[in-house]
């Protein structure tokens, strides 16, 4: 990571005005969005959108040809441009042909993408953005920091400063007054302008229509008042049928700004009359700029389903902390990382791809059904292939990849770590783990790893067997969690086996783009875990569960390795997370919690992978309540704790504030215990609580359940 | 019932909604409204009324006499200087409180974009349930500029504070008329 990138992150995180504003916005957004979607089947709606957009993405040539015929029959001129240069050339020619001196623009991310304003200005034209947010950033000479709210990072004081300069008058910071100034100032520009440039939210092949979705009314003026109208539309905006507009109109305003519908939607089909009776000179420029190539890439074709609502930014725990400018490009946030990698170049996403903590929030709410975290992983993988890994990373993964060495090293660490241990926490760790102690305490490496402890557990010989996949954290840091799990399952009449040859689940390697290493890990684990025939392979670490259940398969698929796939699928089918298994055993009457215990208040933290990939959130809550805890939900219970594996090592400046927020939310419940199902989250949150000094117990569900279930008769 | 549903949604996004039985009653509301809002026969004071079926069979002279700034010919210049724009719209949608109308004729757009107050006239029988219904009716083959209008112009671009009336109308007044037929 470059140092100026690190610097820009620190600057953003320490900008309390920015983080305060974005934080408040994201909280309000969540509530308002839910309200806007009341009574709507969001899953059905987004499937509908995704299907229609996916069709368009795989039939671009067909739709472009149909669109051109229809739009031209209605009096428009349609130009398909493959590169930004061609777009600019064409628009300049239109401008020259019409002797254009002044241009008004309504919002168009496509024009930002190719820096059109700068180009037209260099060619002697005056260009005015008229969307209020765009005008603000134009005056400030900045890039948009959010695709829907370009000036979300600005305060009214800054806006007042800019407007005062623009109109040559000292203005107050009263927002309605500032808006009025913009109205007056820009009204005359609309009336004078020779050319209007708009974007397009959709382009309908069947009818040759473009659709503009706006709130301010500026797009209506831009497309009505000047005699020349250029609509610049990325070819990801195609839909096939006129009726395809409907689902997009249902979702876009709700997702973008939590509105049922924006103030204005304009569906323009061909040229209409100008105010002087002449016909509008309407040019529709369809911009490719690597979109066709993207649509042919099996991993990234889904990015064509994006309707540019910006909601993925609004729910991203990283975006709300660092804002948009850290991303350094026109498109920001997770989706911006993907678009930058394509529309600029893969290289340009090298730093920013690391900002994604893979929490999956965006994936849950995306109306286009984009799997942003998965595409970012793929970017990581391709970067790793292209660049090779940095020396330190390589060193880590060579170790992780070598099971024996890795385990020996962790054992060595447990011994070497002893002198530095204070209480149950370690302040210093040898070698690459040393960075982990920054800002929070870490667990001591256990004196005896679970794999050794396991042998000493006296289990009854039982017919029914499950295999336990411990994962590195339980094996080497929290063996007591593994012990609890074994005892609970024994109580339910199940014997636990621990396949000795299991190793790291490969997540650290995978999340750093080292897919070959992850594939080796996968192969080792599959062979180890399928050796004995068991009903289930249970894990108490959601990251590991996801690896066994999904990622082994996708790692092999990404690498084009098919050999292990059938076995990976067998393993996936047998994999189950701890809480789901225990819930099942309780439902079957094989474990019976004692009724009527009053254990006091508890709050529950949803781990990202458990909630959003494995879709498990009710099971642990029910179990904890069944054994006698009273559940008090915390604010943002399913927001990431900031751990994200090695994320907290690489970006402590981001991970830290996310953890603080989590701690505050936990403390506000007044609960004496916070439960969670992930040893990684335990490590992060327990460490944070330790440094914070709050006397709140941070526990894995398995430990809390063991306390009660094992004392039951 | 549909009218009530529409009214709730439309008022929810800041529109003002009225309903009258006849055109005459609607006029009895509109004329004093224009007077009260200060329509005058001077730049920034005009009221422009774009052609539409409502005006069929209506004697415009007394209207003009009552409100001297009220004009029935729409030009770019007058629209730029108008306070109130009046136009007729095609459909009203109960699900979002939106108006949907064919604005291929530029006059329709001028009075509904440049005015400070936009008065939209519509027959009460033109209320539909939602987008699906209206998309079955509207046809981009005939209507080259289809406009959905939902409340007044708005922005939240400064500190995400909702502010009404940035470029387009600051007020949207929707007037339903049960019987669009008949003269004065
Ligand atoms: S990726 Fe999804 S959530 Fe993000 S802008 Fe695109 S459609 Fe919206
Ligand atoms: S997965 Fe989480 S961190 Fe990554 S882009 Fe999505 S919301 Fe942001």
């Amino acid at each position: 990571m470059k140092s100026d990138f690190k610097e820009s992150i620190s600057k953003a995180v320490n900008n309390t005005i920015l983080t305060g504003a974005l934080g408040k916005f994201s909280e309000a957004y969540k509530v308002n969005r839910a309200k806007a979607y009341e009574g709507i089947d969001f899953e059905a709606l987004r499937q509908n959108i995704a299907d229609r957009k996916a069709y368009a993405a795989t039939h671009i040539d067909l739709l472009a040809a149909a669109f051109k015929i229809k739009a031209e029959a209605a009096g428009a001129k349609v130009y398909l441009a493959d590169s930004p240069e061609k777009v600019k050339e064409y628009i300049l020619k239109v401008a020259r042909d019409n002797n254009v001196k002044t241009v008004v623009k309504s919002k168009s991310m496509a024009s930002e993408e190719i820096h059109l304003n700068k180009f037209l200005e260099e060619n002697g034209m005056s260009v005015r953005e008229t969307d209020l947010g765009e005008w603000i950033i134009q005056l400030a000479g900045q890039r948009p920091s959010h695709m829907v709210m370009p000036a979300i990072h600005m305060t009214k004081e800054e806006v007042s400063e800019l407007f005062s300069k623009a109109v040559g008058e000292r203005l107050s910071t009263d927002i309605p007054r500032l808006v009025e100034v913009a109205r007056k100032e820009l009204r005359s520009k609309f009336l004078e302008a020779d050319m209007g440039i708009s974007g397009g939210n959709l382009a309908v092949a069947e009818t040759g229509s473009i659709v503009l979705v706006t709130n301010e009314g500026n797009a209506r003026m831009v497309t009505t008042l000047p005699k020349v109208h250029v609509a610049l539309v990325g070819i990801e905006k195609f839909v096939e049928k006129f009726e395809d507009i409907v689902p997009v109109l249902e979702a876009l305003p709700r997702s973008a700004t939590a509105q049922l519908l924006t103030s204005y939607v304009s569906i323009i089909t061909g040229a209409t009359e100008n105010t002087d009776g002449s016909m509008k000179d309407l040019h529709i420029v369809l911009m490719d700029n690597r979109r066709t190539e993207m649509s042919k890439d099996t991993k990234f074709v889904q990015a064509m389903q994006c309707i540019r609502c910006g909601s993925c930014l609004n729910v991203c725990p990283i975006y709300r902390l660092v804002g948009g400018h850290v991303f350094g490009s026109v498109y920001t946030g997770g989706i911006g990382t993907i678009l930058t990698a394509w529309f600029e170049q893969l290289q340009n996403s090298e730093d920013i791809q690391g900002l994604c903590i893979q929490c999956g929030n965006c994936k849950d709410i995306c109306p286009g059904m984009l799997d942003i975290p998965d595409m970012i992983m793929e970017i990581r993988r391709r970067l790793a292939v292209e660049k090779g890994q940095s020396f330190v990373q390589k060193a880590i993964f060579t170790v992780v990849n070598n099971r024996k060495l890795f385990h020996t090293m962790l054992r060595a660490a447990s011994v070497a770590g002893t002198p530095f241990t204070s209480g149950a926490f370690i302040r210093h760790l040898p070698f690459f783990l040393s960075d982990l102690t920054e800002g929070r305490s870490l667990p001591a490496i256990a004196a005896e790893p679970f794999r050794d402890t396991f042998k000493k557990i006296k289990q009854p010989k039982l017919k029914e067997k499950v295999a336990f996949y411990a994962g590195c954290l339980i094996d080497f840091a929290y063996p007591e969690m593994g012990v609890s799990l074994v005892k609970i399952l024994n109580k339910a009449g199940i014997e636990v086996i621990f396949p000795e040859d299991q190793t790291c689940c490969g997540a650290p390697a995978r999340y750093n783009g080292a897919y070959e290493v992850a594939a080796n890990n996968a192969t080792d684990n599959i062979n180890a875990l399928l050796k004995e025939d068991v009903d289930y392979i249970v894990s108490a670490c959601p990251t590991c569960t996801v690896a066994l259940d999904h990622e082994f398969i996708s790692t092999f698929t990404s690498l084009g390795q098919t050999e292990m796939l059938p076995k990976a699928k067998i393993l996936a089918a047998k994999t189950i997370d701890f809480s789901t298994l225990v819930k099942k055993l309780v439902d079957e009457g094989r474990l019976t919690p004692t009724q009527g215990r009053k254990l006091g208040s508890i709050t529950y933290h949803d781990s990202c992978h458990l909630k959003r990939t494995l879709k498990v959130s009710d099971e642990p809550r029910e179990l904890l309540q069944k054994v006698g805890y009273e559940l008090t939900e915390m604010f943002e219970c399913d927001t990431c704790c900031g751990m994200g594996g090695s994320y907290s090592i690489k970006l402590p400046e981001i991970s830290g504030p996310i953890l603080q927020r989590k701690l505050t939310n936990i403390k506000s419940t007044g609960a004496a215990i916070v439960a969670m199902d992930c040893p990684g989250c335990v490590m992060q949150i327990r460490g944070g609580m330790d440094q914070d000094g709050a006397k709140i117990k941070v526990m894995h569900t398995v430990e809390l359940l063991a306390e009660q279930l094992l004392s039951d008769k | 019932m549909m009218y009530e549903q529409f009214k709730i949604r439309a008022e929810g996004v800041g529109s003002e909604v009225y309903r009258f039985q006849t055109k005459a009653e609607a006029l009895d509301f509109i004329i004093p409204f224009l007077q009260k809002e200060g329509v005058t026969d001077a730049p920034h004071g005009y009221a422009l009324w774009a052609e539409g079926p409502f005006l069929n069979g209506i004697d415009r002279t007394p209207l003009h006499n009552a409100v001297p700034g009220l004009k029935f010919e729409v030009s770019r210049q007058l629209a730029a200087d108008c306070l109130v724009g009046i136009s007729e719209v095609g459909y009203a949608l109960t699900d979002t409180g939106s108006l949907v109308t064919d604005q291929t004729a530029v006059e329709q757009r001028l009075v509904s974009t440049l005015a400070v107050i936009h008065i939209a006239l519509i027959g009460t029988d033109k209320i539909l349930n939602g987008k699906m219904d209206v998309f079955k009716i509207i046809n981009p083959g005939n209507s080259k500029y289809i406009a959905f209008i939902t409340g007044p112009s708005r922005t939240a671009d400064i500190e995400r504070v909702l502010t009404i009336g940035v470029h387009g109308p600051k007020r949207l007044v929707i007037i339903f008329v049960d019987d669009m037929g008949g003269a004065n």
Side-chain angles (χ1 to χ4, degrees):
Chain A
M1 248 170 258
K2 289 185 215 82
S3 66
D4 52 345
F5 177 60
K6 279 275 197 179
E7 240 165 67
S8 77
I9 292 173
S10 301
K11 223 172 106 195
V13 172
N14 291 317
N15 179 344
T16 47
I17 296 177
L18 176 75
T19 55
L22 289 175
K24 254 193 268 149
F25 166 68
S26 76
E27 285 167 20
Y29 171 78
K30 202 171 159 196
V31 177
N32 295 336
R33 177 189 176 277
K35 209 161 153 238
Y37 272 110
E38 256 166 33
I40 293 209
D41 181 348
F42 179 66
E43 290 306 321
L45 175 60
R46 69 175 180 163
Q47 187 63 57
N48 187 359
I49 293 171
D51 289 346
R52 290 170 197 252
K53 295 283 289 182
Y55 175 84
T58 47
H59 295 81
I60 294 174
D61 292 347
L62 198 73
L63 300 195
F67 180 87
K68 187 170 161 76
I69 292 170
K70 284 294 182 176
E72 292 193 335
K77 298 178 192 78
V78 177
Y79 177 67
L80 188 67
D82 52 10
S83 69
E85 290 64 43
K86 293 253 177 67
V87 173
K88 290 189 238 182
E89 235 169 70
Y90 182 84
I91 296 176
L92 182 62
K93 185 171 177 308
V94 172
R96 291 258 157 86
D97 289 351
N98 290 282
N99 198 20
V100 169
K101 294 193 180 61
T102 56
V103 178
V104 279
K105 282 183 67 200
S106 59
K107 198 158 161 295
S108 155
M109 286 306 289
S111 77
E112 291 278 3
E113 184 182 322
I114 61 168
H115 310 289
L116 182 63
N117 292 1
K118 184 165 164 273
F119 172 78
L120 294 177
E121 279 164 359
E122 279 165 6
N123 282 283
M125 274 164 262
S126 132
V127 183
R128 190 64 64 108
E129 293 287 353
T130 63
D131 171 88
L132 186 60
E134 288 282 341
W135 188 44
I136 293 169
I137 61 161
Q138 185 185 31
L139 289 174
Q142 296 180 356
R143 278 187 305 266
S145 68
H146 186 290
M147 62 168 83
V148 174
M149 291 158 290
I152 191 171
H153 58 286
M154 297 269 235
T155 61
K156 57 181 188 294
E157 286 76 21
E158 290 167 309
V159 174
S160 156
E161 198 64 37
L162 289 168
F163 282 13
S164 297
K165 247 187 246 155
V167 302
E169 185 191 328
R170 192 66 245 158
L171 301 170
S172 74
T173 58
D174 178 53
I175 292 174
R177 180 73 203 112
L178 290 170
V179 170
E180 185 64 25
V181 167
R183 180 185 175 96
K184 283 228 175 66
E185 175 71 14
L186 293 172
R187 181 56 72 89
S188 59
K189 307 292 172 199
F190 287 117
L191 290 162
E192 284 162 22
D194 305 310
M195 181 159 103
I197 299 179
S198 75
N201 294 88
L202 290 171
V204 185
E206 176 182 63
T207 59
S209 314
I210 55 165
V211 184
L212 295 168
V213 181
T214 70
N215 266 317
E216 298 185 356
N218 58 326
R220 277 161 59 80
M221 295 192 200
V222 163
T223 57
T224 297
L225 297 170
K227 286 191 196 173
V228 185
H229 170 203
V230 176
L232 177 55
V233 186
I235 56 171
E236 78 282 7
K237 298 296 172 59
F238 276 128
V239 288
E240 184 197 13
K241 300 204 188 88
F242 191 59
E243 62 176 50
D244 293 344
I245 298 173
V246 178
V248 176
L249 277 190
E250 292 287 3
L252 180 54
R254 287 183 168 89
S255 286
T257 48
Q259 288 175 284
L260 301 186
L261 196 59
T262 50
S263 297
Y264 306 107
V265 176
S266 308
I267 306 176
I268 301 172
T269 313
T272 50
E273 246 176 44
N274 282 319
T275 50
D276 65 355
S278 65
M279 280 313 268
K280 176 87 65 201
D281 194 9
L282 169 63
H283 299 261
I284 302 171
V285 182
L286 301 170
M287 180 165 82
D288 194 325
N289 193 21
R290 295 198 67 206
R291 288 163 170 82
T292 300
E293 203 183 327
M294 184 159 93
S295 75
K296 297 207 166 104
D297 189 309
T298 49
K299 270 280 181 186
F300 288 93
V301 55
Q302 54 173 316
M304 297 286 282
Q305 289 159 213
C306 173
I307 59 171
R308 305 283 190 267
C309 71
S311 62
C312 49
L313 312 185
N314 304 348
V315 301
C316 176
I318 312 302
Y319 181 88
R320 80 167 165 197
L321 206 59
V322 300
H325 283 152
V326 161
F327 289 85
S329 292
V330 169
Y331 296 103
T332 59
I335 180 66
T337 304
I338 295 160
L339 298 180
T340 300
W342 279 90
F343 300 163
E344 292 180 19
Q345 50 176 332
L346 187 61
Q347 290 297 311
N348 293 11
S349 67
E350 191 186 340
D351 283 337
I352 55 176
Q353 56 78 24
L355 289 169
C356 172
I357 198 167
Q358 295 284 316
C359 74
N361 270 6
C362 52
K363 183 181 158 183
D364 258 18
I365 50 83
C366 171
M369 293 190 87
L370 277 73
D371 190 340
I372 293 175
D374 193 55
M375 283 187 279
I376 291 179
M377 290 291 302
E378 180 64 12
I379 287 175
R380 229 168 256 184
R381 188 186 74 76
R382 291 185 190 183
L383 278 166
V385 170
E386 198 166 288
K387 303 198 50 106
Q389 283 156 41
S390 71
F391 176 76
V392 182
Q393 274 190 359
K394 254 193 197 143
I396 297 175
F397 295 118
T398 329
V399 174
V400 176
N401 200 20
N402 181 331
R403 190 166 45 83
K404 285 245 167 60
L405 177 59
F406 182 52
H407 292 163
T408 317
M409 219 185 66
L410 282 171
R411 279 174 207 246
S414 80
V415 180
T418 321
F420 306 102
T421 316
S422 90
F425 292 99
I426 193 168
R427 310 287 165 186
H428 301 281
L429 282 169
F431 192 43
F432 65 88
L433 293 172
S434 63
D435 281 356
L436 272 167
T437 47
E438 194 90 7
R440 60 151 159 39
S441 314
L442 277 171
I445 299 288
E448 182 178 83
F450 179 78
R451 51 185 63 238
D452 294 349
T453 309
F454 177 76
K455 294 180 192 130
K456 299 180 193 159
I457 305 175
K458 290 204 178 55
Q459 291 198 71
K461 286 280 157 241
L462 297 162
K463 221 172 79 205
E464 202 176 332
K465 291 186 173 51
V466 307
F468 175 44
Y469 181 79
C472 301
L473 272 176
I474 291 183
D475 199 353
F476 295 101
Y478 300 118
E480 65 276 14
M481 293 177 186
V483 175
S484 295
L485 179 137
V486 172
K487 292 196 172 150
I488 291 173
L489 292 187
N490 284 170
K491 176 133 193 175
I494 299 170
E495 191 180 330
V496 177
I497 61 163
F498 183 83
E500 273 273 313
D501 291 343
Q502 60 181 276
T503 184
C504 173
C505 69
R510 185 179 152 96
Y511 293 135
N512 285 283
Y515 274 47
E516 253 87 23
V517 178
N520 287 343
N521 290 152
T523 304
D524 285 351
N525 281 315
I526 292 170
N527 289 334
L529 296 171
L530 292 183
K531 217 178 241 167
E532 267 189 68
D533 188 29
V534 289
D535 296 335
Y536 290 114
I537 291 137
V538 63
S539 165
C541 170
T543 305
C544 297
T545 315
V546 167
L548 269 54
D549 201 358
H550 299 258
E551 287 172 356
F552 288 179
I553 295 172
S554 80
T555 301
F556 290 133
T557 313
S558 295
L559 291 170
Q561 302 179 359
T562 51
E563 199 189 321
M564 288 300 286
L565 269 181
K567 280 192 173 177
K569 283 179 188 157
I570 296 172
L571 175 65
K574 290 188 172 201
T575 300
I576 191 165
D577 70 277
F578 163 75
S579 279
T580 304
L581 177 59
V582 173
K583 168 78 173 31
K584 202 170 151 295
L585 295 171
V586 169
D587 288 349
E588 288 167 0
R590 297 176 64 178
L591 286 169
T592 18
T594 307
Q595 300 284 312
R597 279 206 174 105
K598 294 238 176 315
L599 301 173
S601 172
I602 198 169
T603 190
Y604 185 81
H605 161 70
D606 290 281
S607 306
C608 295
H609 279 132
L610 189 68
K611 163 113 193 222
R612 281 179 288 274
T613 313
L614 300 167
K615 311 276 178 218
V616 175
S617 59
D618 294 340
E619 290 82 350
R621 285 180 168 81
E622 267 180 48
L623 290 170
L624 289 165
Q625 291 180 84
K626 275 215 169 99
V627 301
Y629 287 104
E630 191 190 312
L631 183 69
T632 313
E633 292 286 359
M634 72 176 91
F635 181 60
E636 297 186 339
C637 59
D638 60 356
T639 296
C640 185
C641 66
M643 175 64 194
S646 58
Y647 192 95
S648 56
I649 310 177
K650 285 194 230 159
L651 288 165
E653 52 279 80
I654 296 179
S655 172
I658 292 181
L659 172 60
Q660 288 313 318
R661 202 182 158 98
K662 180 56 65 176
L663 297 179
T664 307
N665 288 336
I666 293 169
K667 286 190 276 180
S668 309
T669 62
I673 306 172
V674 54
M676 59 209 67
D677 270 49
C678 171
C681 299
V682 170
M683 173 162 134
Q684 171 89 338
I685 296 174
R686 206 180 266 179
M689 275 305 172
D690 175 60
Q691 295 232 325
D692 182 275
K695 296 267 165 292
I696 297 175
K697 272 172 59 181
V698 182
M699 305 291 279
H700 193 298
T701 307
V702 73
E703 301 170 272
L704 294 167
L705 293 185
E707 276 172 18
Q708 303 310 320
L709 290 171
L710 300 180
S711 66
D712 290 343
K713 295 261 159 47
Chain B
M1 189 51 203
M2 280 174 105
Y3 169 76
E4 273 73 36
Q5 280 175 9
F6 175 85
K7 187 172 152 82
I8 290 169
R9 284 288 189 218
E11 288 178 345
V13 290
S15 305
E16 300 156 52
V17 184
Y18 300 92
R19 178 179 177 179
F20 301 100
Q21 253 163 20
T22 63
K23 293 204 284 188
E25 285 174 31
L27 282 173
D28 285 345
F29 169 81
I30 294 168
I31 297 303
F33 178 92
L34 298 180
Q35 290 164 335
K36 189 178 102 249
E37 292 305 325
V39 170
T40 54
D41 197 6
H44 305 296
Y46 306 128
L48 297 192
W49 194 323
E51 279 306 322
F54 184 101
L55 288 173
N56 288 345
I58 287 192
D59 184 1
R60 301 173 192 195
T61 321
L63 303 183
H64 178 75
N65 289 343
V67 187
L70 176 60
K71 297 174 189 298
F72 297 92
E73 64 282 359
V74 178
S75 72
R76 181 186 176 103
Q77 199 46 57
L78 286 172
D81 284 334
C82 79
L83 174 67
V84 182
I86 307 171
S87 70
E88 288 178 46
V89 296
Y91 305 98
L93 308 183
T94 55
D95 65 340
T96 53
S98 307
L99 303 173
V100 183
T101 192
D102 178 357
Q103 293 196 329
T104 310
V106 71
E107 295 76 25
Q108 301 291 327
R109 272 176 275 153
L110 285 175
V111 300
S112 58
T113 53
L114 294 172
V116 179
I117 302 170
H118 174 210
I119 300 179
L121 304 169
I122 180 168
T124 313
D125 58 342
K126 295 294 172 57
I127 306 178
L128 302 173
N129 269 323
K131 282 184 269 304
M132 255 319 179
D133 290 351
V134 81
F135 267 77
K136 282 183 200 133
I137 301 171
I138 53 175
N139 174 4
N142 315 325
S143 308
K144 299 178 108 187
Y145 203 115
I146 298 166
F148 283 63
I149 300 175
T150 311
S153 153
R154 65 188 60 221
T155 185
D157 275 351
I158 305 178
E159 293 195 353
R160 298 151 314 283
V161 174
L162 176 66
T163 314
I164 297 299
V166 53
H167 293 304
K170 297 179 181 180
R171 287 171 66 188
L172 174 62
V173 182
I174 305 169
I175 298 177
F176 285 92
V177 182
D178 293 350
D179 179 12
M180 267 292 195
N184 256 358

